[in-house]
Amino acid sequence: NASRVRSLVVLDRIAVVDRRLGAEESRIAALDEQRSDLATRLADNRDERTGVDSRRRLLEEMASAGEGIGDAVRRVLELVNDAAPVEGIVGPLAERLDVDREDADGIEAALGPHLQAVLVESSAVAHEIRRRLPDLDGRVELLPLARLNGRSDLPTVPLPIAVSATTTLVRAFDRVRTEPSVTGAVRQLLHDTVLVEDLDAARRLVARGVRRRFATRDGHVLEADGRIVLRAAAGREEGRGLLARKAERGELDLAARRLEGVRIVLEAEASSLDAEHESRGARRSTLSEELRALRSEEVELGYAIDRQTQLIERIERERAEVLTERSELEGRMHECRAERAAVEQARLDAIAREQNAATARDAASAELATVDRDVQAAAEQAGTCRTTLGEINARLDSTRRERTRLASSVEEAERQLARSTEQVADRRERLDGYAESIAGAQVEAEEADGLLAGMTERFATIAQELQTASTAVERTGETLGKARVEAQRLDRDLHSLEMSRRELEIKRESLEESVIEELGFDLAALHDAHPSRPVVAIEPEADATDDADRIVD
């Protein structure tokens, strides 16, 4: 019962652990999917950052190499790092300007060749540059900041009222971000330039009376006097792509910072998922170990239940065999009692016949005087009687030897009862032989009585012979007395054997109770499941006493 209860508990625990393990497996699978998605996103982020970094390095290398700047302008800029540097060279105008990517082509077109302009502090710097580079070959535009920042009288053509009331024009100057020190120079170059989408939009504004300089976002210029310059910054000497590349570098820097932030977030999320995956993996391993242990315990409990069931079945079979054997022993005891009663009745009959024989002997003694002529025949008959007595003595000797054999077999407790039973059966057969001998003796006595009836002539001789026979009978009686004493001793030995058998039975019952208690059987439940059968009580002491009396007889 305890094993079955434990088995049910283990099965419940296995179901719980299995459900928890399934949940952990599902969560781990979901984590694997999330980690795979994160790995893909990290790979995409890494590829995108690689592309951004590659493009940014390329743009930086192009800027470092002076891509888009003419050779003459580059020679002027090299004077800043010369062994005897020229003071007052601020740098290229393009490096001081910041524009949006979508406005880069339009601003480059609006500035045109001015993109190559070099900012200087004053006109004196221009004279110094000309003095240092007298053989300068190429166009170089210098913008003195001191003069340009001080101008505020820039002419501006007013807009028609219809246009100003309905249309908001985008000035190119407003789309440029620069340092305050460079604002005057930028205003000088772009103060009357309007930024439009394309030439069609510029022509529509011109048709409405707007007299301004137009720069389109696709890189064309419509001058105020009607001239159209296509791809106004299309050549290297005009500095094409300087602002676009700078704007792209700015966008790439923002994209790189954004991608780096995304990478940090993704790696943090990946670290969190890895930690959770590791913890859940450890928990899954723990649950798997627990599940394996529980399944092993379940198998062991199943084996234990099978062993206990087999043990119960074996005990039931042995119990049935014991009950069967007990029933057989009870039947044999009843048969022994019946046989003993028959032997007792035969003994009583023999005593009665002996009394009758004694009466007949007395009558024969009275008539001995008349049976002298039959003395010889009587002597012969007495010899026959002596032979019979010799046979009885031989049988008594055999009985003594059998008693000795029984005494030697007492040491083995388990076989004593069986041997005693066999000896009782043997003695019953011998008693049957004795009864047959007594019956033969009675027949012979009857024949002797017939003979004695005619033996009156030799009565004295027969009387003497009878006296001798009486002495022999007395000796036989003494021998029978000793046999009775020996039988009583055998009775005590049989009683000892019975006590040993009882002790063995008590030990067996104690062993059964201890085994049942150790196995945890419920005797009430077993009794209900297997109703008791009617059993006839055994009376060992009475049976042993009866067997001893029968042996004595």
Side-chain angles (χ1 to χ4, degrees), residues 205-219:
L205 289 174
V206 170
R208 295 177 65 184
V210 178
R211 299 294 180 263
R212 296 287 180 89
R213 182 173 180 260
F214 295 97
T216 65
R217 284 191 167 87
D218 52 1

Side-chain angles (χ1 to χ4, degrees), residues 398-471:
S398 176
T399 301
R400 292 188 185 93
R401 288 193 298 273
E402 185 67 20
R403 180 194 63 191
T404 303
R405 187 177 65 82
L406 287 174
S408 63
S409 65
V410 172
E411 296 177 355
E412 297 180 2
E414 289 292 337
R415 296 183 298 173
Q416 288 174 354
L417 184 59
R419 289 184 179 180
S420 297
T421 304
E422 293 175 358
Q423 292 173 2
V424 168
D426 190 13
R427 281 164 176 72
R428 184 172 64 248
E429 293 177 358
R430 292 177 182 177
L431 288 175
D432 292 338
Y434 295 159
E436 292 176 358
S437 299
I438 292 172
Q442 289 177 354
V443 172
E444 293 175 355
E446 290 177 356
E447 292 177 356
D449 290 339
L451 294 173
L452 288 175
M455 293 182 179
T456 56
E457 292 180 359
R458 301 181 64 181
F459 177 74
T461 305
I462 293 173
Q464 186 178 358
E465 295 292 335
L466 287 176
Q467 184 65 33
T468 305
S470 297
T471 304

Side-chain angles (χ1 to χ4, degrees), residues 223-410:
E223 299 289 346
D225 57 4
R227 288 179 298 112
I228 298 176
V229 181
L230 299 178
R231 308 301 297 171
R236 179 175 178 273
E237 294 297 329
E238 285 77 17
R240 180 179 181 273
L242 288 176
L243 295 181
R245 288 193 292 271
K246 187 176 182 181
E248 186 178 359
R249 286 203 309 272
E251 291 180 355
L252 290 176
D253 290 338
L254 292 175
R257 288 193 292 271
R258 178 182 60 80
L259 291 174
E260 183 65 20
V262 172
R263 182 189 67 80
I264 293 173
V265 172
L266 291 177
E267 288 182 350
E269 186 175 355
S271 299
S272 176
L273 289 177
D274 290 339
E276 184 178 359
H277 187 277
E278 183 177 358
S279 64
R280 289 189 177 273
R283 194 179 307 168
R284 178 181 60 182
S285 300
T286 303
L287 290 175
S288 299
E289 291 295 334
E290 184 178 0
L291 184 61
R292 282 195 292 271
L294 289 172
R295 292 194 184 281
S296 299
E297 186 177 359
E298 179 190 9
V299 172
E300 292 177 358
L301 288 174
Y303 289 156
I305 291 173
D306 292 339
R307 288 195 299 271
Q308 291 176 1
T309 303
Q310 294 173 2
L311 182 59
I312 291 172
E313 292 176 354
R314 183 172 63 81
I315 291 174
E316 290 293 335
R317 289 195 300 271
E318 292 179 355
R319 182 172 177 269
E321 293 175 358
V322 169
L323 291 176
T324 302
E325 184 178 356
R326 181 178 178 181
S327 299
E328 292 177 357
L329 290 175
E330 289 176 353
R332 292 178 183 176
M333 293 299 294
H334 286 299
E335 292 176 359
C336 290
R337 290 192 184 95
E339 291 176 358
R340 179 187 175 186
V343 170
E344 182 67 20
Q345 184 64 37
R347 185 178 67 83
L348 295 176
D349 293 341
I351 292 172
R353 285 194 297 270
E354 184 180 1
Q355 292 177 354
N356 293 331
T359 303
R361 184 189 62 189
D362 294 338
S365 297
E367 295 177 359
L368 282 177
T370 60
V371 294
D372 289 336
R373 62 180 176 273
D374 296 327
V375 171
Q376 187 65 35
E380 294 177 358
Q381 186 66 32
T384 303
C385 290
R386 289 189 187 94
T387 303
T388 303
L389 288 176
E391 292 178 356
I392 292 173
N393 289 329
R395 291 175 183 175
L396 286 175
D397 293 336
S398 176
T399 301
R400 292 188 185 93
R401 288 193 298 273
E402 185 67 20
R403 180 194 63 191
T404 303
R405 187 177 65 82
L406 287 174
S408 63
S409 65
V410 172

Side-chain angles (χ1 to χ4, degrees), residues 162-226:
V163 175
S164 61
T166 59
T167 304
T168 301
L169 300 180
V170 179
R171 296 190 304 170
F173 173 74
D174 294 336
R175 303 298 294 178
V176 178
R177 298 180 296 276
T178 185
E179 301 173 0
S181 60
V182 187
T183 302
V186 176
R187 183 181 290 109
Q188 178 69 29
L189 298 174
L190 300 176
H191 72 282
D192 62 342
T193 303
V194 177
L195 192 63
V196 294
E197 292 296 326
D198 50 25
L199 287 175
D200 293 336
R203 283 194 296 270
R204 285 194 297 270
L205 289 174
V206 170
R208 295 177 65 184
V210 178
R211 299 294 180 263
R212 296 287 180 89
R213 182 173 180 260
F214 295 97
T216 65
R217 284 191 167 87
D218 52 1
H220 309 305
V221 174
L222 177 60
E223 299 289 346
D225 57 4

Side-chain angles (χ1 to χ4, degrees), residues 32-71:
D32 289 336
E33 293 179 359
Q34 293 179 8
R35 292 174 68 194
S36 177
D37 181 64
L38 275 178
T40 303
R41 291 166 62 186
L42 281 170
D44 295 341
N45 179 271
R46 183 173 56 255
D47 295 340
E48 190 173 355
R49 283 189 296 109
T50 301
V52 169
D53 291 339
S54 299
R55 179 62 179 170
R56 186 173 58 179
R57 283 195 297 271
L58 176 61
L59 293 175
E60 290 175 352
E61 290 174 358
M62 292 176 67
S64 300
E67 183 69 24
I69 298 177
D71 295 336

